[in-house]
Amino acid sequence: MSIFDRIADRIAEQVGDLIGPDEVRAHVERAEQLLDEGDTQAAIEELRAALALRPDHARAAYLLGVALARRGMLEEAEEVLVRATEVRPDLAEAQLALGEVRRRLGRVDGAAEAFRKALEAPSGDLGLRTEAHRGLGAAYLDLGRADRAVRELRKAAALDAGDLETQGLLGRAFAARGELDAARQCLERTAGAPQPNPTALLALGSVYRRLGRPVDAEMAYLRALQVAPPTPPQGSPLGAQQGSQQGAQQGSPPGPFQGEASAHARLGLAAARLDLGDAAGALSQVEEVLAARPGLAEAHVMRARARALTGDAGRIGAALDAYDEALRLTPFAARRSLVPIELARRGLAMGTDREVILDEALHAALRGDAIARASGYAEELLTLRPADADALAARALAHLDAGDRGAAEAVLGRGEITERPSGTTVETLLAQARLHLAGPPAEATAAAALLRRAVTLAPGDPRPRARLAEIYRAGHETVPADLYGLLRVAQRQLAATPELGDLAPEAARVLAIVDRPLQLTVMGEFNSGKSTFVNAFVGEEVAPMGIVPTTATINVLKYGTERGARVIYRDDEVREVPWAEVAPLLRGLTAEEARRIRLVEVRYPLELLQRVNVVDTPGLNSILPEHEETAREFIAQADAVIWLFTVGQAGTASEREALVRVAAEKKKLLGVLNKIDRAEEDERQELLRHLGENFGDLVEHIVPFSAREALLGRSDAERLQRSNRAELDRVLGERFFARAEAIKREAATRRMRALLGEAEARAQAAARAGHQAEIEAARAALRTAEDSFVRRFLVEERLRLRADLDELLGAGAREVLDFVRPRRWAFGSNQAQPADRDYLMALVEEKIGQLGEGSRSRAAAEVAEALATARAPIQAQAQVQAQGHGPIHAVSGEAPPSEEELLRQIDVEVYSRYRAFVRGYLRGGQLDDFFSRVLPRLEPTEAAVRRSLALGFLDAEMLEAELVQPLRQWSERCFAALRDRLSRLAQAEELRRFEIEERLVRPVTLLQRALAAQESPGGGET
């Protein structure tokens, strides 16, 4: 039943000049009968006849307006209703009908005025007052004044709690105020009707979407589609008429839904399916709407949204084409859109306002990197919103695309963007980052910082993360194919990464392997003849021989244009030594001075030393503890090792133990049986057999040799032949020198592989260093705590407070009886002194204070555990930051409030406010009224006094409204703040892991793959 039917049903007999002559009265009465029978056209003819006889007949004009409105003839209806109200301004029914007609015509200000006059008219009809409050509330809703709409609609609901139309309008008003749960409750009541209003179902679907319940939204839209009549094609002669009739029959508000509920139900269904990720299903609904109504701008906007998600290659261009069509169909707005821009950007609100469409198109173009088209939308949008930060960002990006960095910088430097919080948006941060990236390479750091802010500002937007990854990956994706280039890149990357920087020196040493001569380390036990072997090997007496074991040092023979030495001390002091002083220096070292020496470099101009560096180490069983670490370093850095066995002490257990350790370093090992001049041939063969059987698994080959004979036989061919030097040179040439480059490559590759393995382990450890599991556990615990607070604690607290209030009422009643009884007159009224009033006031205030204090402590204790739950991962993540595992970009650093701070918050927002209200309430006259008006006539019993106190000023409803509800609202804010902090912490952890992956893990992985390619057959250089 429409509002006009309801008004007509309340028509009462008028008096005096409203009836008029019998002929006029006959026409009016006949019209009333026809209206009751539903013959509106015949009623209109009767009423026109009556007005022809008596133009100032207010009743006839009023009924004619109602009949015309029923027929959808709203303009004519307004004209005759204005005539009726001019004749009788106090005719509430006419004012009410006029307000509804004007509202349907979109003349909302005039409608609100008519509804207000209807309320001012003297009428005892509660039904008419209900209609007037509802109409005024609907008008305020149309005007975007949601607060006033809620106020008027609540009055209508109070007069008629079962009216579903009022509930539907109230739900929409709550939704406009952002009170989604209250909106949902009202709209669900409306939706429960056998034939629900399609408009209410559409509003319910919108609320469900905003609450993140797309499945429920889909069901609401499907039901709206079932109950709404089909939308006639655009241009159909039935279109406008059906729209007006539908509005009249269903009591729908004017605006985009009137006459097009079916179309908007399909569009809502499309939006819900987009929320569910079903772009194809959404697009099919939109196309059905457009087939009937190709000129419906909202449908083109929805088509744009669906096209942007379909996954087609040209989806951005096609989506922007749809926005362009919507803009073509939408005229310039005379006022700013009432659709919240943020809701429109999230696709949660439909709007036909050009500003809203421009804003949405701008952001779609920016997300699709269609800068030229974004610039076009931005320029028009800036005529409506000159300081719009995102439009300015689009303008700056267009300048950058045109190569004008200066103009872009000028735009992005405007105060609206750089100084005001509203200017810090994802788009401005992206634009500023791109501006930096268009500058010198050093500005990449500033760009990365901006992109990190953008990631935290919009975690769901993939663009900041992708562009941040591009910065991190710059130079990482392409690794040189040659080994030397690969090693250089590895050294630079490790040096540039704070978490791995301490590995860079080792990487530099690995890089040096490729350029330096072959590193040949001579090892053996004490007295194995290493120095003599070195001198024989190079053909000159360059290594001191016969050095006392306790003064042994590590000596490195290198090529030099002039002979000499350099002593490198453990404190990094360096001493140059002339050649003539080298041997005396080394032979004369004291044990104490030898401990200070790290190594001695001996330079000699021998051609062999240009290809081979020889490291002469002391015997492993005589090396000083101070030199052990240096010896281990040289073993690790050696490309090949010659191990000297010695006739007379070859093949000892300590030698095998040492060789096992060297072999574990994957070194090329050549065994030399030294001092063969001291053994007969049979003994030499037996020693070689023994060494082959016991050490063949550790050394590649064993060569018999006499270093002494080779050194002394430099000019004696016979001695040289006895030394077996030729065989040694052959084996060294085949196994070491001919393969020197390959050996160095293998050594460099092996050491870099180990180094990158260490880097990978550190990177993975850094990635795991966060507390994602703890954060997620805290979020789950917080959800449980919030649910417990709402579903358990608040219910229990309401019961506790009611019990406390009941106890307070009992105590108050007993006190009243104590001071009233002695002063009661035998045949008079109960009386009390001012002091009694003050005493009762103090008592009530004290008890109220105790009541609030108990509730305060209980609420704080309930939330304290949730605070601890949230605090733990924040503190743990702060430790991660302190340990250097990467910055936490998304957390401001503030911890959840302590219990003391929590109590202060509850005091300010709930309990202090409550106590102040109670004091003002009591001192504002309620207690005085009890003593002056209620008490004198009160039966002096505890039950009666108790009941009067409750009804007068200590009722449970007051407790609910002034304490329980504020406590609920405070808890919602408190838990929302905790959820927000944990969400930001989770975002920070996700960003930290992302950065670790991009800065550490990925580059190391790419280097490892490139290194593996070097080791594969045909990989790298040969």
Side-chain angles (χ1 to χ4, degrees), residues 95 108-121 132 136 140 143 145 148 152:
Q95 296 286 4
V108 188
D109 287 317
E113 181 184 5
F115 287 129
R116 281 194 293 269
K117 288 181 178 179
L119 287 169
E120 293 168 1
L136 185 55
Y140 282 140
L143 288 169
R145 301 165 72 175
R148 290 196 173 188
E152 295 299 329

mmCIF file with all atom_site columns, all heavy atoms in Angstrom, residues 95 108-121 132 136 140 143 145 148 152:
data_model
loop_
_atom_site.group_PDB
_atom_site.id
_atom_site.type_symbol
_atom_site.label_atom_id
_atom_site.label_alt_id
_atom_site.label_comp_id
_atom_site.label_asym_id
_atom_site.label_entity_id
_atom_site.label_seq_id
_atom_site.pdbx_PDB_ins_code
_atom_site.Cartn_x
_atom_site.Cartn_y
_atom_site.Cartn_z
_atom_site.occupancy
_atom_site.B_iso_or_equiv
_atom_site.pdbx_formal_charge
_atom_site.auth_seq_id
_atom_site.auth_comp_id
_atom_site.auth_asym_id
_atom_site.auth_atom_id
_atom_site.pdbx_PDB_model_num
ATOM 1   N N   . GLN A 1 95  ? -0.832 18.659 3.692  1.00 0.00 ? 95  GLN A N   1
ATOM 2   C CA  . GLN A 1 95  ? 0.596  18.940 3.804  1.00 0.00 ? 95  GLN A CA  1
ATOM 3   C C   . GLN A 1 95  ? 1.409  17.657 3.633  1.00 0.00 ? 95  GLN A C   1
ATOM 4   O O   . GLN A 1 95  ? 2.458  17.629 2.978  1.00 0.00 ? 95  GLN A O   1
ATOM 5   C CB  . GLN A 1 95  ? 0.899  19.585 5.165  1.00 0.00 ? 95  GLN A CB  1
ATOM 6   C CG  . GLN A 1 95  ? 0.266  20.943 5.388  1.00 0.00 ? 95  GLN A CG  1
ATOM 7   C CD  . GLN A 1 95  ? 0.951  22.050 4.596  1.00 0.00 ? 95  GLN A CD  1
ATOM 8   O OE1 . GLN A 1 95  ? 1.862  21.796 3.806  1.00 0.00 ? 95  GLN A OE1 1
ATOM 9   N NE2 . GLN A 1 95  ? 0.467  23.277 4.770  1.00 0.00 ? 95  GLN A NE2 1
ATOM 10  N N   . VAL A 1 108 ? 13.184 18.185 -2.889 1.00 0.00 ? 108 VAL A N   1
ATOM 11  C CA  . VAL A 1 108 ? 13.283 17.653 -1.542 1.00 0.00 ? 108 VAL A CA  1
ATOM 12  C C   . VAL A 1 108 ? 13.189 18.756 -0.496 1.00 0.00 ? 108 VAL A C   1
ATOM 13  O O   . VAL A 1 108 ? 12.590 18.553 0.575  1.00 0.00 ? 108 VAL A O   1
ATOM 14  C CB  . VAL A 1 108 ? 14.586 16.844 -1.380 1.00 0.00 ? 108 VAL A CB  1
ATOM 15  C CG1 . VAL A 1 108 ? 14.589 16.121 -0.034 1.00 0.00 ? 108 VAL A CG1 1
ATOM 16  C CG2 . VAL A 1 108 ? 14.727 15.832 -2.509 1.00 0.00 ? 108 VAL A CG2 1
ATOM 17  N N   . ASP A 1 109 ? 13.753 19.912 -0.762 1.00 0.00 ? 109 ASP A N   1
ATOM 18  C CA  . ASP A 1 109 ? 13.647 20.999 0.216  1.00 0.00 ? 109 ASP A CA  1
ATOM 19  C C   . ASP A 1 109 ? 12.183 21.368 0.463  1.00 0.00 ? 109 ASP A C   1
ATOM 20  O O   . ASP A 1 109 ? 11.749 21.553 1.605  1.00 0.00 ? 109 ASP A O   1
ATOM 21  C CB  . ASP A 1 109 ? 14.434 22.218 -0.271 1.00 0.00 ? 109 ASP A CB  1
ATOM 22  C CG  . ASP A 1 109 ? 15.934 22.008 -0.151 1.00 0.00 ? 109 ASP A CG  1
ATOM 23  O OD1 . ASP A 1 109 ? 16.374 21.484 0.884  1.00 0.00 ? 109 ASP A OD1 1
ATOM 24  O OD2 . ASP A 1 109 ? 16.656 22.354 -1.097 1.00 0.00 ? 109 ASP A OD2 1
ATOM 25  N N   . GLY A 1 110 ? 11.414 21.494 -0.640 1.00 0.00 ? 110 GLY A N   1
ATOM 26  C CA  . GLY A 1 110 ? 9.995  21.791 -0.511 1.00 0.00 ? 110 GLY A CA  1
ATOM 27  C C   . GLY A 1 110 ? 9.248  20.677 0.192  1.00 0.00 ? 110 GLY A C   1
ATOM 28  O O   . GLY A 1 110 ? 8.300  20.926 0.963  1.00 0.00 ? 110 GLY A O   1
ATOM 29  N N   . ALA A 1 111 ? 9.650  19.434 -0.057 1.00 0.00 ? 111 ALA A N   1
ATOM 30  C CA  . ALA A 1 111 ? 9.022  18.292 0.604  1.00 0.00 ? 111 ALA A CA  1
ATOM 31  C C   . ALA A 1 111 ? 9.245  18.362 2.107  1.00 0.00 ? 111 ALA A C   1
ATOM 32  O O   . ALA A 1 111 ? 8.312  18.166 2.902  1.00 0.00 ? 111 ALA A O   1
ATOM 33  C CB  . ALA A 1 111 ? 9.589  16.989 0.050  1.00 0.00 ? 111 ALA A CB  1
ATOM 34  N N   . ALA A 1 112 ? 10.489 18.674 2.506  1.00 0.00 ? 112 ALA A N   1
ATOM 35  C CA  . ALA A 1 112 ? 10.783 18.755 3.938  1.00 0.00 ? 112 ALA A CA  1
ATOM 36  C C   . ALA A 1 112 ? 9.949  19.843 4.608  1.00 0.00 ? 112 ALA A C   1
ATOM 37  O O   . ALA A 1 112 ? 9.426  19.654 5.714  1.00 0.00 ? 112 ALA A O   1
ATOM 38  C CB  . ALA A 1 112 ? 12.273 19.026 4.144  1.00 0.00 ? 112 ALA A CB  1
ATOM 39  N N   . GLU A 1 113 ? 9.767  20.968 3.928  1.00 0.00 ? 113 GLU A N   1
ATOM 40  C CA  . GLU A 1 113 ? 8.955  22.052 4.473  1.00 0.00 ? 113 GLU A CA  1
ATOM 41  C C   . GLU A 1 113 ? 7.512  21.599 4.669  1.00 0.00 ? 113 GLU A C   1
ATOM 42  O O   . GLU A 1 113 ? 6.884  21.881 5.702  1.00 0.00 ? 113 GLU A O   1
ATOM 43  C CB  . GLU A 1 113 ? 9.000  23.260 3.547  1.00 0.00 ? 113 GLU A CB  1
ATOM 44  C CG  . GLU A 1 113 ? 8.191  24.447 4.048  1.00 0.00 ? 113 GLU A CG  1
ATOM 45  C CD  . GLU A 1 113 ? 8.179  25.598 3.058  1.00 0.00 ? 113 GLU A CD  1
ATOM 46  O OE1 . GLU A 1 113 ? 8.733  25.430 1.942  1.00 0.00 ? 113 GLU A OE1 1
ATOM 47  O OE2 . GLU A 1 113 ? 7.611  26.650 3.380  1.00 0.00 ? 113 GLU A OE2 1
ATOM 48  N N   . ALA A 1 114 ? 6.949  20.879 3.691  1.00 0.00 ? 114 ALA A N   1
ATOM 49  C CA  . ALA A 1 114 ? 5.571  20.399 3.801  1.00 0.00 ? 114 ALA A CA  1
ATOM 50  C C   . ALA A 1 114 ? 5.421  19.398 4.944  1.00 0.00 ? 114 ALA A C   1
ATOM 51  O O   . ALA A 1 114 ? 4.442  19.435 5.699  1.00 0.00 ? 114 ALA A O   1
ATOM 52  C CB  . ALA A 1 114 ? 5.145  19.770 2.480  1.00 0.00 ? 114 ALA A CB  1
ATOM 53  N N   . PHE A 1 115 ? 6.396  18.501 5.102  1.00 0.00 ? 115 PHE A N   1
ATOM 54  C CA  . PHE A 1 115 ? 6.319  17.528 6.190  1.00 0.00 ? 115 PHE A CA  1
ATOM 55  C C   . PHE A 1 115 ? 6.386  18.230 7.551  1.00 0.00 ? 115 PHE A C   1
ATOM 56  O O   . PHE A 1 115 ? 5.706  17.839 8.503  1.00 0.00 ? 115 PHE A O   1
ATOM 57  C CB  . PHE A 1 115 ? 7.437  16.492 6.066  1.00 0.00 ? 115 PHE A CB  1
ATOM 58  C CG  . PHE A 1 115 ? 7.233  15.497 4.955  1.00 0.00 ? 115 PHE A CG  1
ATOM 59  C CD1 . PHE A 1 115 ? 8.233  15.250 4.014  1.00 0.00 ? 115 PHE A CD1 1
ATOM 60  C CD2 . PHE A 1 115 ? 6.044  14.792 4.845  1.00 0.00 ? 115 PHE A CD2 1
ATOM 61  C CE1 . PHE A 1 115 ? 8.049  14.336 2.997  1.00 0.00 ? 115 PHE A CE1 1
ATOM 62  C CE2 . PHE A 1 115 ? 5.852  13.867 3.826  1.00 0.00 ? 115 PHE A CE2 1
ATOM 63  C CZ  . PHE A 1 115 ? 6.858  13.646 2.889  1.00 0.00 ? 115 PHE A CZ  1
ATOM 64  N N   . ARG A 1 116 ? 7.229  19.250 7.656  1.00 0.00 ? 116 ARG A N   1
ATOM 65  C CA  . ARG A 1 116 ? 7.302  19.990 8.918  1.00 0.00 ? 116 ARG A CA  1
ATOM 66  C C   . ARG A 1 116 ? 5.965  20.675 9.240  1.00 0.00 ? 116 ARG A C   1
ATOM 67  O O   . ARG A 1 116 ? 5.513  20.695 10.381 1.00 0.00 ? 116 ARG A O   1
ATOM 68  C CB  . ARG A 1 116 ? 8.434  21.025 8.842  1.00 0.00 ? 116 ARG A CB  1
ATOM 69  C CG  . ARG A 1 116 ? 9.829  20.442 9.065  1.00 0.00 ? 116 ARG A CG  1
ATOM 70  C CD  . ARG A 1 116 ? 10.855 21.517 9.311  1.00 0.00 ? 116 ARG A CD  1
ATOM 71  N NE  . ARG A 1 116 ? 11.066 22.333 8.122  1.00 0.00 ? 116 ARG A NE  1
ATOM 72  C CZ  . ARG A 1 116 ? 11.981 22.101 7.183  1.00 0.00 ? 116 ARG A CZ  1
ATOM 73  N NH1 . ARG A 1 116 ? 12.782 21.057 7.313  1.00 0.00 ? 116 ARG A NH1 1
ATOM 74  N NH2 . ARG A 1 116 ? 12.109 22.894 6.145  1.00 0.00 ? 116 ARG A NH2 1
ATOM 75  N N   . LYS A 1 117 ? 5.310  21.239 8.214  1.00 0.00 ? 117 LYS A N   1
ATOM 76  C CA  . LYS A 1 117 ? 4.006  21.884 8.428  1.00 0.00 ? 117 LYS A CA  1
ATOM 77  C C   . LYS A 1 117 ? 2.952  20.856 8.829  1.00 0.00 ? 117 LYS A C   1
ATOM 78  O O   . LYS A 1 117 ? 2.049  21.152 9.619  1.00 0.00 ? 117 LYS A O   1
ATOM 79  C CB  . LYS A 1 117 ? 3.579  22.634 7.176  1.00 0.00 ? 117 LYS A CB  1
ATOM 80  C CG  . LYS A 1 117 ? 4.397  23.905 6.929  1.00 0.00 ? 117 LYS A CG  1
ATOM 81  C CD  . LYS A 1 117 ? 3.917  24.639 5.684  1.00 0.00 ? 117 LYS A CD  1
ATOM 82  C CE  . LYS A 1 117 ? 4.707  25.929 5.477  1.00 0.00 ? 117 LYS A CE  1
ATOM 83  N NZ  . LYS A 1 117 ? 4.270  26.659 4.260  1.00 0.00 ? 117 LYS A NZ  1
ATOM 84  N N   . ALA A 1 118 ? 3.058  19.650 8.277  1.00 0.00 ? 118 ALA A N   1
ATOM 85  C CA  . ALA A 1 118 ? 2.124  18.592 8.670  1.00 0.00 ? 118 ALA A CA  1
ATOM 86  C C   . ALA A 1 118 ? 2.270  18.266 10.151 1.00 0.00 ? 118 ALA A C   1
ATOM 87  O O   . ALA A 1 118 ? 1.284  18.020 10.849 1.00 0.00 ? 118 ALA A O   1
ATOM 88  C CB  . ALA A 1 118 ? 2.358  17.341 7.826  1.00 0.00 ? 118 ALA A CB  1
ATOM 89  N N   . LEU A 1 119 ? 3.523  18.283 10.641 1.00 0.00 ? 119 LEU A N   1
ATOM 90  C CA  . LEU A 1 119 ? 3.751  18.016 12.056 1.00 0.00 ? 119 LEU A CA  1
ATOM 91  C C   . LEU A 1 119 ? 3.271  19.164 12.938 1.00 0.00 ? 119 LEU A C   1
ATOM 92  O O   . LEU A 1 119 ? 2.860  18.964 14.083 1.00 0.00 ? 119 LEU A O   1
ATOM 93  C CB  . LEU A 1 119 ? 5.252  17.757 12.311 1.00 0.00 ? 119 LEU A CB  1
ATOM 94  C CG  . LEU A 1 119 ? 5.779  16.404 11.819 1.00 0.00 ? 119 LEU A CG  1
ATOM 95  C CD1 . LEU A 1 119 ? 7.297  16.372 11.874 1.00 0.00 ? 119 LEU A CD1 1
ATOM 96  C CD2 . LEU A 1 119 ? 5.191  15.271 12.665 1.00 0.00 ? 119 LEU A CD2 1
ATOM 97  N N   . GLU A 1 120 ? 3.330  20.385 12.408 1.00 0.00 ? 120 GLU A N   1
ATOM 98  C CA  . GLU A 1 120 ? 2.890  21.549 13.185 1.00 0.00 ? 120 GLU A CA  1
ATOM 99  C C   . GLU A 1 120 ? 1.369  21.678 13.228 1.00 0.00 ? 120 GLU A C   1
ATOM 100 O O   . GLU A 1 120 ? 0.825  22.348 14.116 1.00 0.00 ? 120 GLU A O   1
ATOM 101 C CB  . GLU A 1 120 ? 3.501  22.815 12.578 1.00 0.00 ? 120 GLU A CB  1
ATOM 102 C CG  . GLU A 1 120 ? 5.032  22.882 12.722 1.00 0.00 ? 120 GLU A CG  1
ATOM 103 C CD  . GLU A 1 120 ? 5.639  23.972 11.863 1.00 0.00 ? 120 GLU A CD  1
ATOM 104 O OE1 . GLU A 1 120 ? 4.853  24.688 11.172 1.00 0.00 ? 120 GLU A OE1 1
ATOM 105 O OE2 . GLU A 1 120 ? 6.882  24.106 11.856 1.00 0.00 ? 120 GLU A OE2 1
ATOM 106 N N   . ALA A 1 121 ? 0.674  21.051 12.251 1.00 0.00 ? 121 ALA A N   1
ATOM 107 C CA  . ALA A 1 121 ? -0.787 21.180 12.190 1.00 0.00 ? 121 ALA A CA  1
ATOM 108 C C   . ALA A 1 121 ? -1.433 20.462 13.364 1.00 0.00 ? 121 ALA A C   1
ATOM 109 O O   . ALA A 1 121 ? -0.972 19.400 13.799 1.00 0.00 ? 121 ALA A O   1
ATOM 110 C CB  . ALA A 1 121 ? -1.306 20.603 10.875 1.00 0.00 ? 121 ALA A CB  1
ATOM 111 N N   . ALA A 1 132 ? 4.214  11.745 8.828  1.00 0.00 ? 132 ALA A N   1
ATOM 112 C CA  . ALA A 1 132 ? 4.947  13.003 8.708  1.00 0.00 ? 132 ALA A CA  1
ATOM 113 C C   . ALA A 1 132 ? 6.389  12.842 9.164  1.00 0.00 ? 132 ALA A C   1
ATOM 114 O O   . ALA A 1 132 ? 7.325  13.324 8.513  1.00 0.00 ? 132 ALA A O   1
ATOM 115 C CB  . ALA A 1 132 ? 4.239  14.095 9.501  1.00 0.00 ? 132 ALA A CB  1
ATOM 116 N N   . LEU A 1 136 ? 9.486  13.268 6.674  1.00 0.00 ? 136 LEU A N   1
ATOM 117 C CA  . LEU A 1 136 ? 10.542 14.238 6.936  1.00 0.00 ? 136 LEU A CA  1
ATOM 118 C C   . LEU A 1 136 ? 11.898 13.542 7.043  1.00 0.00 ? 136 LEU A C   1
ATOM 119 O O   . LEU A 1 136 ? 12.908 14.041 6.534  1.00 0.00 ? 136 LEU A O   1
ATOM 120 C CB  . LEU A 1 136 ? 10.226 15.000 8.228  1.00 0.00 ? 136 LEU A CB  1
ATOM 121 C CG  . LEU A 1 136 ? 11.180 16.149 8.584  1.00 0.00 ? 136 LEU A CG  1
ATOM 122 C CD1 . LEU A 1 136 ? 11.287 17.158 7.448  1.00 0.00 ? 136 LEU A CD1 1
ATOM 123 C CD2 . LEU A 1 136 ? 10.709 16.834 9.866  1.00 0.00 ? 136 LEU A CD2 1
ATOM 124 N N   . TYR A 1 140 ? 15.136 14.264 4.670  1.00 0.00 ? 140 TYR A N   1
ATOM 125 C CA  . TYR A 1 140 ? 16.482 14.534 5.170  1.00 0.00 ? 140 TYR A CA  1
ATOM 126 C C   . TYR A 1 140 ? 17.485 13.527 4.610  1.00 0.00 ? 140 TYR A C   1
ATOM 127 O O   . TYR A 1 140 ? 18.634 13.875 4.299  1.00 0.00 ? 140 TYR A O   1
ATOM 128 C CB  . TYR A 1 140 ? 16.483 14.476 6.697  1.00 0.00 ? 140 TYR A CB  1
ATOM 129 C CG  . TYR A 1 140 ? 15.926 15.710 7.373  1.00 0.00 ? 140 TYR A CG  1
ATOM 130 C CD1 . TYR A 1 140 ? 15.111 15.588 8.498  1.00 0.00 ? 140 TYR A CD1 1
ATOM 131 C CD2 . TYR A 1 140 ? 16.199 16.989 6.889  1.00 0.00 ? 140 TYR A CD2 1
ATOM 132 C CE1 . TYR A 1 140 ? 14.593 16.706 9.134  1.00 0.00 ? 140 TYR A CE1 1
ATOM 133 C CE2 . TYR A 1 140 ? 15.682 18.113 7.512  1.00 0.00 ? 140 TYR A CE2 1
ATOM 134 C CZ  . TYR A 1 140 ? 14.874 17.979 8.627  1.00 0.00 ? 140 TYR A CZ  1
ATOM 135 O OH  . TYR A 1 140 ? 14.367 19.078 9.241  1.00 0.00 ? 140 TYR A OH  1
ATOM 136 N N   . LEU A 1 143 ? 18.430 14.533 1.271  1.00 0.00 ? 143 LEU A N   1
ATOM 137 C CA  . LEU A 1 143 ? 19.281 15.732 1.303  1.00 0.00 ? 143 LEU A CA  1
ATOM 138 C C   . LEU A 1 143 ? 20.684 15.431 1.842  1.00 0.00 ? 143 LEU A C   1
ATOM 139 O O   . LEU A 1 143 ? 21.530 16.330 1.898  1.00 0.00 ? 143 LEU A O   1
ATOM 140 C CB  . LEU A 1 143 ? 18.627 16.802 2.185  1.00 0.00 ? 143 LEU A CB  1
ATOM 141 C CG  . LEU A 1 143 ? 17.382 17.485 1.600  1.00 0.00 ? 143 LEU A CG  1
ATOM 142 C CD1 . LEU A 1 143 ? 16.681 18.306 2.671  1.00 0.00 ? 143 LEU A CD1 1
ATOM 143 C CD2 . LEU A 1 143 ? 17.757 18.359 0.403  1.00 0.00 ? 143 LEU A CD2 1
ATOM 144 N N   . ARG A 1 145 ? 21.357 14.548 4.919  1.00 0.00 ? 145 ARG A N   1
ATOM 145 C CA  . ARG A 1 145 ? 21.449 14.942 6.334  1.00 0.00 ? 145 ARG A CA  1
ATOM 146 C C   . ARG A 1 145 ? 21.060 13.737 7.189  1.00 0.00 ? 145 ARG A C   1
ATOM 147 O O   . ARG A 1 145 ? 19.953 13.644 7.739  1.00 0.00 ? 145 ARG A O   1
ATOM 148 C CB  . ARG A 1 145 ? 20.569 16.150 6.590  1.00 0.00 ? 145 ARG A CB  1
ATOM 149 C CG  . ARG A 1 145 ? 20.982 17.327 5.723  1.00 0.00 ? 145 ARG A CG  1
ATOM 150 C CD  . ARG A 1 145 ? 19.941 18.437 5.662  1.00 0.00 ? 145 ARG A CD  1
ATOM 151 N NE  . ARG A 1 145 ? 19.846 19.175 6.913  1.00 0.00 ? 145 ARG A NE  1
ATOM 152 C CZ  . ARG A 1 145 ? 19.080 20.243 7.086  1.00 0.00 ? 145 ARG A CZ  1
ATOM 153 N NH1 . ARG A 1 145 ? 18.332 20.688 6.059  1.00 0.00 ? 145 ARG A NH1 1
ATOM 154 N NH2 . ARG A 1 145 ? 19.050 20.873 8.233  1.00 0.00 ? 145 ARG A NH2 1
ATOM 155 N N   . ARG A 1 148 ? 19.798 14.049 11.017 1.00 0.00 ? 148 ARG A N   1
ATOM 156 C CA  . ARG A 1 148 ? 18.415 14.474 11.179 1.00 0.00 ? 148 ARG A CA  1
ATOM 157 C C   . ARG A 1 148 ? 17.451 13.393 10.695 1.00 0.00 ? 148 ARG A C   1
ATOM 158 O O   . ARG A 1 148 ? 16.361 13.229 11.247 1.00 0.00 ? 148 ARG A O   1
ATOM 159 C CB  . ARG A 1 148 ? 18.179 15.779 10.417 1.00 0.00 ? 148 ARG A CB  1
ATOM 160 C CG  . ARG A 1 148 ? 18.884 16.968 11.050 1.00 0.00 ? 148 ARG A CG  1
ATOM 161 C CD  . ARG A 1 148 ? 18.329 18.273 10.536 1.00 0.00 ? 148 ARG A CD  1
ATOM 162 N NE  . ARG A 1 148 ? 18.885 19.404 11.252 1.00 0.00 ? 148 ARG A NE  1
ATOM 163 C CZ  . ARG A 1 148 ? 18.469 20.659 11.109 1.00 0.00 ? 148 ARG A CZ  1
ATOM 164 N NH1 . ARG A 1 148 ? 17.489 20.932 10.243 1.00 0.00 ? 148 ARG A NH1 1
ATOM 165 N NH2 . ARG A 1 148 ? 19.021 21.643 11.796 1.00 0.00 ? 148 ARG A NH2 1
ATOM 166 N N   . GLU A 1 152 ? 14.296 11.816 12.979 1.00 0.00 ? 152 GLU A N   1
ATOM 167 C CA  . GLU A 1 152 ? 12.878 11.800 12.606 1.00 0.00 ? 152 GLU A CA  1
ATOM 168 C C   . GLU A 1 152 ? 12.357 10.381 12.430 1.00 0.00 ? 152 GLU A C   1
ATOM 169 O O   . GLU A 1 152 ? 11.236 10.057 12.827 1.00 0.00 ? 152 GLU A O   1
ATOM 170 C CB  . GLU A 1 152 ? 12.669 12.594 11.316 1.00 0.00 ? 152 GLU A CB  1
ATOM 171 C CG  . GLU A 1 152 ? 12.973 14.081 11.435 1.00 0.00 ? 152 GLU A CG  1
ATOM 172 C CD  . GLU A 1 152 ? 12.074 14.762 12.461 1.00 0.00 ? 152 GLU A CD  1
ATOM 173 O OE1 . GLU A 1 152 ? 10.920 14.328 12.631 1.00 0.00 ? 152 GLU A OE1 1
ATOM 174 O OE2 . GLU A 1 152 ? 12.545 15.719 13.111 1.00 0.00 ? 152 GLU A OE2 1
#
